[in-house]
Amino acid sequence: MQQNFLLKKEKLGEFLTALSKEAEVFVPSLNENNATCFLPYNSQELYLAERTQYSPKKILSPPLEKEFIFRKKSSSFEIEHLLDNKKRVFFGVRSCDTHAIKVLDKLYLEYFTEDKWYKAIREDLTIIALQCSKPCENGFCQSMGTDKPVGHDLLLVEKEKSFFVEIASERGEQLVKKYRDLFNQTNFTKPESKFKCSKELETTNLKEILDKNFFHKKWKQEAKKCLSCSSCTQVCPSCYCFLSFDKFILNTGDSERFRAWDSCQLKRFTRVSHDFFFRESRESRLRQFVMHKLSYFQENFGFPLCVGCGRCIMVCPVGIDLTEIASTIRGDSK
Amino acid sequence: MKELSLTTPALAEIVEVREDTKKIKTFTIKYVDRQKQKRFHFVPGKFLMVSVFGFGEMPISLSSSPLKTDSLQLTIKEVGVITHAMLQLKKGDKIGLRGPFGRGFPVARFRKKNVLFISGGCGMAPLRPVIYAIADRREEFGKLKLLYGCQNSDHLLFKEDLKKWGQTENLEVLLTVDKCTPDWKGNCGPVTTLFNKTEINPDNSIACIVGPPVMLHFVLKELKKHGFRDEQIYASLERLMHCGMGKCAHCNIAGKYACIDGPVFNGVDLAKMPLEEK
Amino acid sequence: MPKKLKAGFYSLACCEGCEIVMFDLEENFLKALDFVEIVDARLFNGKHPGEKLDIAIVEGCVESEVDKKHLLEIRERCKYLVAFGACATIIGIPGIRNALPKEIQKKLKRKAIIPVKDKAFPISAFVKVDALLQGCPAFTHEILDVFVKLYHGIVPKLEEVPVCSECRERENPCLLFEGIPCLGPVTYAGCKALCPSERAQCIGCRGFTEDGNFEALRKKFQEMGIPKKEIYNLFTYFNPDPFTKKMEEK
Amino acid sequence: MHQDEDFSIENITKIEGHASLDLKVRSGKVESCEFRVTESHRFFEDMVNGRHFSQIPLIVSRICGLCSSSHLTTALEAVEDALEVEPSEQTKSLRRLSIFGEFLKSHSLHLYMLALPDYLAKESVLKFGEKEHHFIHDGLNLKKAGTDILTALGGRPHHTVNYRVGHVTKGPNSEKLVAILKGLESVREKALETVHLFDSFAAKHPFERKTNFVALKGKNYPLMEGQAIHCSDKTSVEKDGLMQHLQEVVVPYSTAKNAVFNGKDYVVGALARIALNKNQLHPEARKALKGCSTKLPNKSPFSTNLAQAIELVHCVESAIDLAKDLSPRNEPAPKIKPKACSGVGVTEAPRGLLYHSYTLDGKGFITESNMVIPTQQNIRSIELDLHDFVPTILSKPREKAALEMEKLIRAYDPCISCSVHFLKVNWT
Ligand SMILES: Cc1cc2nc3c(=O)[nH]c(=O)nc-3n(C[C@H](O)[C@H](O)[C@H](O)COP(=O)(O)OP(=O)(O)OC[C@H]3O[C@@H](n4cnc5c(N)ncnc54)[C@H](O)[C@@H]3O)c2cc1C
Ligand code: SF4
Ligand code: SF4
Ligand code: SF4
C-alpha cells in the first residue's frame, strides 16, 4: 500500500531551501508589480491562495529562447544545438497547469517527432502539484475534466497546519525519501476538495456545434470589441504557437537561431509572401483561438486544448469570454 | 555519422545555380553527409525547411525529379529577406536542410487516369517532380495536360522542360501570361482562360493545382463548373511555417496542418476547410 | 565579409535625445565602430559634405523648408535612410502642434522660420524611408540590430505586435483594470513594455499599429470614466489622431 | 585673420542643436557678432496649452534629450506648486537622485565627447589614437553611472516614464539600488581624475571677462527644490518673482532677443553655481576644488569645464549618500482635485537656471505656460565674450581662430535644441 505523508507548514521553507540547493525551484509568488507568477525560490513569501495569474509555461517554453548557434568556419558552418538541461522543480502547480504541461508533452515529445530542446528541459523537471481547495476567479476546470492533476510527482493538499503529501511517481517517492526527516508519515487519506468552479462550460457535442457555427454572428460581435492585444494567448498555459528567426552576431558571419512565442491573434500570424494574410479579419483570428482550443485540437489529439484555468477571461481588457461565446452559440443552435 | 534529429538542420552544399528568370533561381544541392544524400528520397510535392544561416528558415518545395537522388533541386523566387539572401548564394556555399516534410501528390493513385496540371507562377516548382515521375512511366497514365500561367513570358520557369514536355506524346502544354508583350505569341490572361482553349473532361481525370491563393480560388470554381468532383482534385496550399512538423501551428487550417496533412490536400479535405482559410 | 558601412547622423527639429542614445550603446558603440564608419555627424564633427553614404540616420521632424531641403539632400546621398526616433517615424511630440486650433496655428506660422504648410511632418511625408527605429527616444538594442542587419544586407521590417504582448511576457498586471488608460493594445511593441512595467501607461511612443482596434479602445476608456477631452489628449500624444486619420502628406 | 574680416561658421559642431556664428571685424574690433540659432521651432509653450496637467511632464521632457529629467522635474514642481500638492519625501529623493544621474550623464558627455577633443587638438573622439582611447572609456563609464541611475529609477536613460505629478508610479527595488551604488563607487576615482584633467587645461586659457553669475539657492547644493534665485551682484529674488527681474532685450546687432537679470548681462551654469554655492558642495568636491591649481570662481568662461568636472565629483558623492539612505516602498498616487490655479518651478539644469510656469483651468487643463531655458540666457554672454575674445586672437590663422571661437562657444555647453523654442524671435 502506498504510504502517505504530512509536511508541516513550518517545514515548507526548509524543504524549498533544501530543494533549491540542488535544482532551480519555481514557486508561485508575487512579482515586482504585484502580479502572481512563478519565480525562482529565494525565501520569498509564497502565494498559495489560488492559481497564479501567470502559468509556469514560460519556463518550459520561454517567450524567447536561443536554439542554435551557427558558427561560420571558413566556407562551412558548425551547428551547435543549445540544450538547456538544468534541474528544475515546479512547486505548487495547480491541476490545470499540469494538464497544460501534458499538452506540451504530447506535442513536443510524442507527436510526429520529438523536440530535443523541450526534452532536455522536461527530463529534469520535478512537478509538485497543489490541490485547489476553493474555486478560482473565472476557472472552469471541472467542466473541462482537468480538475485532477496529471503527470505530477507529488501532490500536496493544504490542511490547517500542514500539507497532505501524496506520492504520485517514482521521482516523487525518491524525493520524499531523500528529505524523509522533513515529512511525517500519516494514516490519513487524501482530503477531497469539495467546491464548484466559478464558471461552467457545457462540453457535450461542443466541437460539432462550434464547427457547424463557423459563421455565427457572435464571432463578428465579439471581434468588434477585441483589441487583438494577444494577451489571451500569452497567458494561456497551453498556447504553444511559436516562430523562429535568425540573427547575426555583430559583423561576424556567426548567427543564432531563436524561437519565440507567436500568437494567432496577431495579423502577421498567417502572412505569406506578397503580404497575403489568410486570417486577416479580427473575426477570423478570434475564432481561430476559440476553435483551436475547443475543436481543432480535439480532432487531432482527442482532448480539448483548453484546460479551463480561466486566465484568458481574466486578462482580457474588454471582457471577451470563451465560455460565454460557446454557450451563446450553443443556445442559438438549439 | 548518427542521423540528426528533425529539429536540427543538416548541412548541404550548393553545387550548381541556374538562373531561371530575373528573380527565380534553381539550386542543385547535395548534403554534405554523403550517406544522408544516398538515403535521400521524396514524394513529389513534399518540401524542405531551408536555412540560410543568419537570415532564417523557410519552407521550399523540392523541384527536382524524384528519380534522381544523387542531388536535389530547389527553385526559389525572391520575395523577401530569406529568399533574397538565398538568391545571393553561389556554388560552394552552405545551407541547412531539414525534411522532407509534408504529404505529396499520391502519384500511384493517378495510374491509368488523365491528369490535368494547373499551375501559376512559382507553383510550377512542386509540379515539376510530379510530371517527371509520370513522364518516366508514361504508359501507365492517361492523357496529360499542363496549364501554366505567369506574369509575363520572362517569368516562365523550366523553359527546356516545357519544350521537352510539349513534344512528349499525349502531354499537352498550354501556356498563358497575365501581361502581353509583343514577343509573346500565345494566350493572354489568367490561367482560367486556358480552360476554353482545350477540352477539359472530368471523366477518369485528376486535377493537380499549385499556385497563389487567388489563383486557387478561381481555378477551383472553374473545375467545379467543368464537372470535377472534390475527390478528383489535389491542391497544394502555401502557409507560413516555422517548424514543418505540426508544432508551431502557423499552418493550422481547421483540424489540419498544411505541413503534415498537406501541403497537398485532396479536394474532399479542401471542401471541409472554411472558405476564407484556403 | 562586406565592407564597412558608411554612416551619417542627422538631426532635424527634435530634442536630440535619440542622438544621445547612440552613446548609451556604450561598449557596443565601440563594437559597432568595427563595421560602421561614422563619416558625417555633427556631434563628432565629421564634415564630409556630399559624400555618398550607405546609411543615413535621421532624427527629428520636418518643421521648415530648411529641414525639408536638408532631408531631400540627405536622401540623395544615401542608400538606406533610417528614421530615428518618434519625431522622424511618426511625428511624436512636435506633432501636437498640428492639432492646435486654427488661430494659434496662424500665430505660430508667423513665428516659424519658413513653415512647411504650417505643420510638422515625420520624414516619411517627404522621402522614402527604408527602416524605422521607433521610440522616444529610440532603443539601443534596436539601433545595434539595424546596423547589424543592414551590414548583412537585410532591410529590417516592422513586426506588427502590440505592446500588450510584451507586457504579458514581463508578467505585468494590466493597467486597464486599474483605471489607468494605456495605449499598449494599439502600439508597436519592441520596448519590452517599458512603461507598463514601471506601472505607467503606454503613451504610444513607438507608433500606432495598423491593425489596432482604436474604436474598441476608445470605448474601453469611456467605460473607465475618462472624460472625452482627456481621451483625445491621450490618443494624440505621439501620433496623429487615429480617428480623423492621417495628416496630409507629400 | 585680418583686421577687417567678415567671418562665419556654419553649423557649429559638437554642440547640442544647430547654431551658426556671423562676425564682422573692422579695424581689429568686432563690429557685429551674431550667434544665430538655426534650429527649427517646436513651439512647446503653445503645445502644452489645452493639455491635461498629468500629461505635461511627459511632453516637456521632450524639449531636450540631454536634460529631460530637469525639464520633467521643473514642470512637476511647477504643477505641484500650482495644485498645492506636496510630494512625499521618497518622491523628492528619487527625483533628486535622477537629477544627479542626469548631471553625470550630461557633464561627462560634454566633457569627454565634445570638449575634450578641442583640448587634445583632435577633430573628434573618433580620431582619438591609441594614447587617448581610454578617455572614451572613461567618459562612457562616467556616463554609464549616470544613465544607470536614470534607467533604474525611470525605466530608461532619457525621458523618464514613471514620474507623475505628486508621485512616482514605481520606485526602484533594492537590487537596482545596490547596482546603482556599485556603479557610482566604481567611477569615484574617474570623477576626481576628470577634475585634474580639466584643471590642467584651464590654465591654458587666460581669457577673462567680468560678468554676473545667477543661480538657484537652496538647502542642498542647489539642483532643485530651490525657492530663491541669487545673483553675484548680491541681489536675490523669490522664484515667483523671477520674471520681473528677467528682462528680454533687443540688441541691435542680433536678431535674437537676449535676457538680462536686473538690467545686467549674466551667466548661468556650472560656473555660476560654484561661484554662488561653493560652500554647499559635497566635502569631497570641495576638497577637489581646493586641490585645483585654477581657482574657482574666476572670470574665464573656459573654466566652465572645470566647474563641470567639480560637479561630477559632487554628483557622484551626493548620489552615493542619497542612494545609501533610500529604501523605496510603493506609494499610492495622491488624489488630486483640479482647480483654477497657477504655479512656478525653478531648478538648476546641467546648463543652468531652468524656469517653468503654468496656469491651469478648473478642469486641470493648461491655459498658459512659460519657460525660460539656460542656454537662452547665456547667448548674450557668449556674444559679449566673443566681442572681447576675437580681437585677442586676430593674429592667428583663420582656421585656428575659428577653432578658438568654437571652443569658447562649446565651453558654455550650449544646448540649442531646448533653448530655441523659447526665444521669441522674429525672423522676418
Ligand atoms: C509548402 C511550401 C512550399 C513552398 N515552396 C516554395 C518554392 O518551391 N519556391 C519558392 O520560391 N517559394 C516557396 N514557398 C514560399 C516560401 O516559403 C516563401 O516565399 C518564403 O518563406 C518567403 O521568405 P522570405 O523571408 O523571403 O520572405 P519575407 O516575407 O521577407 O519573410 C517572411 C519570413 O521571415 C521570417 N522572419 C524574419 N525575421 C523575423 C523576425 N524578426 N521575427 C519573425 N519572423 C521573422 C519569418 O519566418 C517569415 O516567415 C513555399 C511555401 C510553402 C509553405
Ligand atoms: S523621438 Fe523623442 S528622443 Fe528622439 S529626438 Fe524626438 S523627442 Fe527627442
Ligand atoms: S498595461 Fe497596457 S500594455 Fe500592458 S496589457 Fe494592459 S493595456 Fe496592454
Ligand atoms: S510602453 Fe509605449 S510609450 Fe512606453 S516605451 Fe513602449 S511604446 Fe513607448
Side-chain angles (χ1 to χ4, degrees), chain D residues 13 46 72 79 94 99 130 141 167 176 215 230 253 262 265 279 292 306 311 315 319 378 381 388 391 402-403 417:
Chain D
T13 57
D46 297 282
L72 188 79
V79 174
L94 289 175
I99 295 285
E130 201 106 313
N141 283 340
H167 76 299
K176 282 181 181 166
H230 282 214
Y253 52 76
N262 285 340
D265 63 283
N279 295 334
C292 287
L306 178 59
E311 284 192 338
C315 289
N378 277 343
S381 286
D388 290 5
L403 186 64
S417 26

Side-chain angles (χ1 to χ4, degrees), chain A residues 97-113:
Chain A
D97 285 343
T98 62
H99 281 268
I101 294 172
K102 181 178 110 184
V103 168
L104 298 181
D105 285 355
K106 190 106 195 156
L107 196 79
Y108 289 125
L109 299 178
E110 290 173 26
Y111 187 54
F112 200 61
T113 172

Side-chain angles (χ1 to χ4, degrees), chain D residues 3 6 22 24 41 71 96 100 192 220 229 248 254 303 308 314 331 365:
Chain D
Q3 296 288 309
D6 289 337
D22 287 311
K24 209 180 205 176
H41 289 240
H71 279 284
R96 213 177 296 143
F100 288 138
L192 286 172
N220 310 309
I229 293 100
E248 291 175 321
S254 170
S303 307
Q308 287 177 324
H314 171 79
E331 292 176 333
F365 292 92

